[in-house]
Amino acid sequence: FSPEVPVGSRVRYKLFNDSDLPLYYTLINVDPRERLSAFCPVEEVLTPAPEAESTETTTVSATPATIAPGSVIAIPSAELDWAVEAPTGPIETYIVCSTQPLTKTFNTLVSAANSGGQRINPLPEPLPVIEALLTDLSQGDNTDAYTLDVTQWATLNFTYRAVYSYGKTR
């Protein structure tokens, strides 16, 4: 049984890090059309312009998302407008946490994020992102196989059903 969440509602995940190591994470959604979307924690950074100009420029950079030891984070953060979208049907969310930085994953997501937002929806090419994630999680040197040490990473899976609220039209 999956909980029902009305289209337009907001879903927020809270992650707790009770360990003494930082945890690196990413979030991937699968919508009812089986399209993937991903969370990419981009940060806008003001950088000084060359001396000839008097304005600052904004650059977008991404760093692997981290949960510090003993802390709590919310995904998405309160300032993001990240609502459940139509169509109705099952939605799966995978939050992958690792003790190793997910550098290749985030570099791949940054190259896919042309809007500058933290949600890439839909993910234009999901296969390179999944391959980068498996490479980040892999502990082996073999390029033909992934060696996944389950003591170094975990995946949390959340499933809910997007529905229309009573009184709303389709």
Side-chain angles (χ1 to χ4, degrees):
F1 174 76
S2 297
E4 293 182 347
V5 178
V7 170
S9 297
R10 296 200 173 26
V11 175
R12 182 169 295 139
Y13 304 93
K14 281 193 172 183
L15 302 178
F16 300 83
N17 181 358
D18 287 333
S19 77
D20 56 353
L21 297 171
L23 290 177
Y24 301 89
Y25 67 93
T26 191
L27 180 145
I28 297 173
N29 272 345
V30 181
D31 73 11
R33 294 181 185 142
E34 297 184 2
R35 294 181 309 178
L36 273 64
S37 62
F39 172 74
C40 183
V42 293
E43 297 177 0
E44 290 184 2
V45 179
L46 292 176
T47 55
E51 291 182 22
E53 299 176 23
S54 62
T55 61
E56 292 180 330
T57 58
T58 302
T59 57
V60 176
S61 66
T63 56
T66 309
I67 309 167
S71 67
V72 179
I73 59 136
I75 306 172
S77 58
E79 60 271 0
L80 289 179
D81 184 24
W82 205 2
V84 175
E85 299 175 345
T88 60
I91 297 175
E92 291 186 74
T93 302
Y94 298 92
I95 300 174
V96 180
C97 298
S98 172
T99 58
Q100 300 297 313
L102 301 174
T103 307
K104 291 179 183 177
T105 304
F106 283 101
N107 288 339
T108 305
L109 287 172
V110 167
S111 66
N114 45 3
S115 67
Q118 291 190 347
R119 183 180 189 184
I120 306 168
N121 185 24
L123 196 56
E125 294 186 42
L127 184 58
V129 173
I130 300 306
E131 288 173 336
L133 180 60
L134 288 171
T135 300
D136 283 337
L137 297 176
S138 181
Q139 301 295 311
D141 294 331
N142 186 344
T143 58
D144 292 335
Y146 298 109
T147 306
L148 303 174
D149 181 355
V150 295
T151 64
Q152 302 301 310
W153 67 277
T155 300
L156 306 172
N157 173 262
F158 302 94
T159 303
Y160 58 92
R161 179 169 288 284
V163 297
Y164 288 110
S165 295
Y166 293 106
K168 291 190 177 184
T169 60
R170 297 178 192 203

